[in-house]
Amino acid sequence: MTQNIVFIQNDIPPLRPGSYALTATQTIPNQQPGTFKATSELVVQGERFSFKSDEIQSVFPPNLAIGEFDGVFPHVVLNRRTLPWERLLNDTDLSFDRAPWLAVLLFDDANAPVPQKLTVNALLPTGTLPPKTLSYGAATLLPLGYGESLDDTCMVIDIPRLMFNQVAPAEPDLQYLAHIREVDSSQGVDSKVSIQQYAVVIGNRIPAHNTVSHAFLVSLENMGDYLPPADGTQSTHMPSDTNAVRLITFCSWTFTANAKDRALQTLLENLNTPPAGQPRITTLQMPIVGAAPTPARVTQALAEQAAGQLSSNGANVLAQNALQMGYVPFNHHLRHGGQTFSWYRGPLAPYAVPSALKVPISDPDAANRYNPQTGLFDVSYGMAWQLGQMLALQNGGMANDLYRWKRSVTHQQVIAAEQALLEQMLPDQPLLESFLGPRAEAISTDPPPLPASVTNWFGSLAALQGVPFNYLVPDERLLPAESIRFFHLDLNWIDALIDGAFSIGRTTTGDDTVESLHSPMVRMRAKAALRARRPNLTTAIDRPDGPITGFVMRSQAITGWPNLRVKAFSDTAAKNEIKSLGVATLSKDVLFCLFGHAVEAVYLRVPPEALHLGVEGAGGTYTTTLRRLDGDDAGQEYGTDSDKLPVRGDGQTFQVADAATAIKTILVTKYNVAFPKGFSSAEFAVEMTKGVVEVEYRQSLTAGMALK
C-alpha cells in the first residue's frame, strides 16, 4: 500500500497578527491641490493567549497512552497550516523569522510544572507576575492587540530556571521543529477535499522509560534571546537573578513509555479479543452463553414451533438464533395499553439480507412483521420508516422543497387526467385547440426533476448520516470496547427509511397511488447519491448496484489516532481495492465505514499527519535510519544509520540543529545528495520519521472471519 505524504518546510503568512495602516494616494495633474490621501487601519488577528478547540487535530503520543514510546519525539498536529509561523520567535534577530513561535516541551513526572489558569496581567512585571520570574514582558505583550484584554484568561506553567535550560530547545533548533504535511485524505474520514495540509510542531526531547511524561505546547513568542545554547547552559541574556520562567501553554497531556500494550499496533491487533472461554465475535450480534446452535437444531426448533410443540429448549435455540442474526429484544408498549417485547435489528446486519420489502408503505405499522406462532413483532422496518419521517420533518428546508416538488408533480398529473377526460368526451373535436394543444404537449413531458437539495439529503440519509447511533447499534453489547464489527447494509431498512422520509405531505389514499409511480425513482436517486457523496473520493464507484458492506469500530486507537486511514479489498489477497462510500468518526472512540462491495480484507494504518519522529538506541547513544529524499523511491530507507546524534548531558534532550547538520553531512558525503535549497525542517522530518503502523484484517462476510 502506498502512502501519499509531502513534507513542506513552512508556510509564512503574508501578514502576521498586528495593526496595519493602508494609505491610498491619488494624484490628479493640473489640479491644486493635486494629491489626495486616504488612510485606513487594518487589523490581522491571530491566536496568542489561547487556541480555539478545533485548532489542535491530535497529539502524539496520545493523552494517557501507555506503550512502547521510547525514543519518540512528542508532537502536536494543528489544523491551520500557518499557525506555528504567525508570530515571531525573536523580533530583534530576523534571521530566525522562519522559526516557529510554538514549541513542545517534555518533562519527567517528578519535574513537571502544574498548569494554572491566570490572566494576561499575570504575565507582566507591572501586573501580578511574581518577582524574579521571567515572562514575555511589556515589550512583547503591549500594546495589546485588537480584541485583547489584560483580563483575558490563559493557561500558564512556571518552569524553574535550571529545568527550563535543560528542556528548552536552542534558538537554532526551532527552525527544524515544525513543518507542514500535505496528505491524501481519500482513505480518511469524510472531508470536502482530497488533499489536506497540517502543521506539525515537534518536541526536542524523548521520554524517560517506565515513568509518566508530561508534554506541553507552549508559546515562545519573542523569547528567542532567553533560550539556552545547544549544550543547555543558561543564556547570557537571561537576568542572573531569575528563579523561574512563566510560559503560556495551549495544551498539555501525559503518557508513559514502557513495554505495555497500549501503542497503536497492539491496540489494533487486540481488537475482538474475547473474554476467557468465549468465542471471537466479528459481526454485530449479541453474545450468547454456551455454544451456538447448529443449523440443524434451528431447523428442528422451527419445525417444533410450526407444529405447536415447541419445548423450552427449542425456544432457547430460536432466541439464540435471533441474537446471532443481530436482533435485540426490547420492551414494547402497545398503543392499547398492553405490554410485550419485540425484536429490533438496525441496518447493520451480520449477513446479507435479501430485498423483500414492498414500498411505498402507508404507515410504520404496515412495515412491522408479525409472527402468529410466537405472538411477537419484528419492528425493525417500522422504526426505520418512522425515523425517516421524523428526520425529514426536522429538516425544514428540504421538507419544503420536497413538498413543493410533490405539489408540482400532482398538479401535472391532475392536468393529465383532465386532458384524458376531455379527449374521451370530445373525440376528434378541435375544440379550443389553441389552448388544449399546448397543454397536451406540456403534460406529455417527464415530471420535474427532484431539487438538488432533496437528492443530496436523501443520499446522505441512505448513508445513515443523521441516524441516531442507538438505531444503528441498539445495545452496547453489540459493540463492546476494543472491538471491530463487520456488517452487510440491510437495504430493506434503507428503503423503509427513505420511504418514511418521502412520506411527508402524503395525506390521502390517492397520494399513495401517485407516489407509487415516483417512489422507486427516489430510492434509486438516493442510493446513487450515496455512492457519489464523498467529496474526497477521487474515483468513481465501479459497482453502482452492488452490495454495501462495512464495519464499525470502537477503540482507544480512534481516540489517540483520529483520522485513521482505511483501505478495503474485495479479495483476501488484497489486490482489488474497494472504494469507501463513507468514513465517519461517530464519537471520540467509534469509527464507521461503508464500502460499495463485499469486504474480504481491510487495512488500518496510522494517519500520515500523525507519523512520529524519533531515534533508535538507548542510554544516550542514538541514531536514525536514513531515507531517500527524491525520486520514485523517496522515503525508502538507505539501510544504514546516521552517526551518533548529539544529545545534552541528561541523555534525553537533543541538540537538534547539530543533529540536522550531522545528518546532512552523511547524506552529502556518503550518498551524494545535493541540497540546492538547503537542509530544512522538511528534510529533517523525512530523516527522523519512523515506520508506519499498519494492521490487516481478513474478513469474509459469507464464510466467517480470519484475522491476520
Side-chain angles (χ1 to χ4, degrees):
M1 293 175 61
T2 60
Q3 182 72 58
N4 297 325
I5 177 172
V6 177
F7 293 89
I8 302 170
Q9 180 181 1
N10 54 38
D11 190 352
I12 308 297
L15 292 176
R16 287 189 165 97
S19 297
Y20 299 85
L22 299 181
T23 301
T25 302
Q26 182 179 20
T27 302
I28 302 176
N30 303 321
Q31 295 288 329
Q32 189 63 30
T35 301
F36 302 89
K37 291 185 178 181
T39 301
S40 180
E41 185 177 3
L42 171 68
V43 176
V44 177
Q45 290 184 279
E47 279 76 5
R48 193 181 198 186
F49 304 124
S50 62
F51 282 172
K52 297 178 182 177
S53 59
D54 59 353
E55 292 288 9
I56 297 175
Q57 199 262 0
S58 63
V59 299
F60 180 86
N63 188 32
L64 303 180
I66 301 174
E68 297 179 356
F69 301 120
D70 299 78
V72 307
F73 293 118
H75 72 242
V76 175
V77 180
L78 302 171
N79 285 317
R80 192 164 82 238
R81 66 185 188 184
T82 62
L83 187 53
W85 300 277
E86 290 179 0
R87 297 186 181 275
L88 289 172
L89 172 67
N90 193 331
D91 63 5
T92 60
D93 185 355
L94 294 182
S95 62
F96 292 101
D97 68 331
R98 296 183 179 275
W101 65 287
L102 299 173
V104 174
L105 303 185
L106 184 68
F107 300 86
D108 299 337
D109 192 44
N111 304 311
V114 178
Q116 308 173 69
K117 187 175 183 180
L118 302 176
T119 65
V120 174
N121 194 47
L123 302 172
L124 295 168
T126 56
T128 59
L129 183 71
K132 299 184 180 181
T133 298
L134 176 69
S135 192
Y136 307 97
T140 299
L141 300 181
L142 300 178
L144 293 173
Y146 179 83
E148 295 176 348
S149 166
L150 291 176
D151 294 326
D152 289 345
T153 59
C154 55
M155 300 299 296
V156 304
I157 52 174
D158 290 338
I159 309 171
R161 173 177 54 87
L162 294 179
M163 181 56 58
F164 176 80
N165 295 331
Q166 178 180 333
V167 304
E171 192 171 24
D173 292 350
L174 278 162
Q175 61 183 309
Y176 298 103
L177 295 178
H179 62 270
I180 294 170
R181 297 182 187 181
E182 183 178 275
V183 301
D184 180 355
S185 67
S186 61
Q187 296 173 15
V189 298
D190 294 352
S191 68
K192 296 181 180 180
V193 295
S194 58
I195 299 295
Q196 293 178 306
Q197 290 186 340
Y198 300 91
V200 181
V201 180
I202 302 154
N204 64 321
R205 219 166 173 257
I206 60 174
H209 184 72
N210 216 26
T211 186
V212 176
S213 296
H214 300 254
F216 298 84
L217 177 66
V218 302
S219 165
L220 293 179
E221 183 183 5
N222 206 26
M223 295 286 286
D225 286 343
Y226 305 117
L227 295 175
D231 59 1
T233 57
Q234 184 166 307
S235 168
T236 57
H237 293 91
M238 182 178 289
S240 58
D241 62 347
T242 300
N243 288 334
V245 178
R246 174 168 289 182
L247 298 178
I248 297 171
T249 181
F250 301 105
C251 75
S252 61
W253 70 101
T254 63
F255 62 92
T256 303
N258 57 25
K260 294 187 178 180
D261 60 355
R262 306 306 289 177
L264 177 60
Q265 180 172 343
T266 310
L267 284 170
L268 294 178
E269 290 177 345
N270 287 343
L271 292 179
N272 292 343
T273 300
Q278 295 296 317
R280 184 187 298 270
I281 298 177
T282 61
T283 57
L284 278 171
Q285 57 180 271
M286 294 281 282
I288 61 175
V289 177
T294 63
R297 185 65 187 93
V298 173
T299 301
Q300 179 184 353
L302 288 172
E304 293 173 356
Q305 177 181 262
Q309 300 174 349
L310 186 64
S311 64
S312 59
N313 182 264
N316 185 58
V317 167
L318 295 183
Q320 288 182 323
N321 186 59
L323 295 176
Q324 290 195 299
M325 293 172 67
Y327 284 97
V328 177
F330 283 104
N331 292 329
H332 188 171
H333 299 274
L334 304 176
R335 63 179 50 143
H336 295 296
Q339 293 188 19
T340 182
F341 80 88
S342 295
W343 294 104
Y344 171 77
R345 184 179 65 200
L348 315 180
Y351 60 93
V353 182
S355 296
L357 190 69
K358 294 183 179 180
V359 290
I361 301 168
S362 59
D363 57 69
D365 286 346
N368 292 334
R369 294 180 292 182
Y370 178 69
N371 186 337
Q373 295 176 329
T374 62
L376 299 179
F377 284 97
D378 176 356
V379 298
S380 304
Y381 300 149
M383 290 181 66
W385 192 96
Q386 192 161 46
L387 175 65
Q389 186 181 66
M390 291 188 295
L391 291 175
L393 290 171
Q394 187 182 49
N395 192 309
M398 187 284 303
N400 287 329
D401 290 344
L402 177 59
Y403 181 69
R404 283 191 290 268
W405 178 82
K406 285 188 173 185
R407 287 287 300 272
S408 65
V409 171
T410 302
H411 181 66
Q412 187 185 60
Q413 292 178 329
V414 168
I415 293 175
E418 291 177 351
Q419 184 71 20
L421 183 61
L422 287 172
E423 292 176 356
Q424 178 184 354
M425 297 179 65
L426 302 170
D428 302 323
Q429 297 295 323
L431 184 64
L432 300 177
E433 183 64 27
S434 61
F435 170 70
L436 297 179
R439 176 175 163 140
E441 293 179 3
I443 63 174
S444 65
T445 60
D446 293 333
L450 274 171
S453 61
V454 175
T455 301
N456 293 336
W457 186 86
F458 271 84
S460 297
L461 184 67
L464 302 174
Q465 185 172 323
V467 173
F469 186 68
N470 60 312
Y471 282 80
L472 304 178
V473 183
D475 192 291
E476 185 177 5
R477 288 169 290 180
L478 293 168
L479 187 67
E482 301 306 320
S483 66
I484 182 170
R485 297 292 192 254
F486 292 82
F487 60 81
H488 277 273
L489 189 64
D490 182 356
L491 296 181
N492 297 294
W493 202 97
I494 300 299
D495 285 342
L497 182 73
I498 294 172
D499 191 67
F502 189 59
S503 71
I504 59 173
R506 186 184 300 171
T507 57
T508 67
T509 305
D511 291 328
D512 288 343
T513 303
V514 170
E515 293 188 4
S516 65
L517 300 175
H518 303 286
S519 180
M521 178 268 294
V522 172
R523 297 198 310 277
M524 180 188 68
R525 295 274 179 86
K527 293 173 184 177
L530 157 65
R531 296 176 185 272
R533 59 182 292 274
R534 290 195 76 204
N536 55 337
L537 183 62
T538 56
T539 56
I541 297 297
D542 55 357
R543 292 189 64 191
D545 58 346
I548 297 176
T549 65
F551 69 83
V552 60
M553 172 180 164
R554 180 184 175 195
S555 172
Q556 289 301 309
I558 302 164
T559 306
W561 290 264
N563 206 3
L564 280 172
R565 293 305 194 258
V566 180
K567 198 167 186 178
F569 299 87
S570 62
D571 61 318
T572 55
K575 300 295 184 182
N576 301 318
E577 183 183 355
I578 304 171
K579 302 301 180 182
S580 58
L581 303 179
V583 180
T585 304
L586 302 185
S587 70
K588 67 178 183 178
D589 64 346
V590 175
L591 184 69
F592 178 77
C593 301
L594 285 177
F595 304 100
H597 206 290
V599 175
E600 297 289 346
V602 170
Y603 288 81
L604 296 180
R605 73 181 332 180
V606 63
E609 65 270 17
L611 292 176
H612 69 271
L613 276 59
V615 294
E616 295 102 27
T621 302
Y622 302 104
T623 61
T624 185
T625 302
L626 300 178
R627 299 176 181 272
R628 299 180 184 275
L629 291 171
D630 55 16
D632 294 337
D633 55 355
Q636 297 298 314
E637 296 179 355
Y638 278 114
T640 185
D641 291 340
S642 69
D643 290 340
K644 178 181 176 182
L645 299 177
V647 64
R648 292 180 186 171
D650 63 358
Q652 294 177 250
T653 309
F654 281 76
Q655 301 176 22
V656 178
D658 292 341
T661 300
I663 292 171
K664 176 185 176 182
T665 300
I666 295 176
L667 292 174
V668 171
T669 57
K670 187 172 183 178
Y671 298 105
N672 299 317
V673 180
F675 297 97
K677 297 183 179 180
F679 188 87
S680 71
S681 60
E683 288 80 12
F684 180 76
V686 173
E687 298 304 333
M688 300 296 287
T689 295
K690 300 300 108 180
V692 178
V693 173
E694 178 178 86
V695 175
E696 175 190 353
Y697 300 86
R698 296 287 178 88
Q699 164 68 22
S700 172
L701 288 172
T702 57
M705 175 76 179
L707 286 173
K708 180 180 179 182

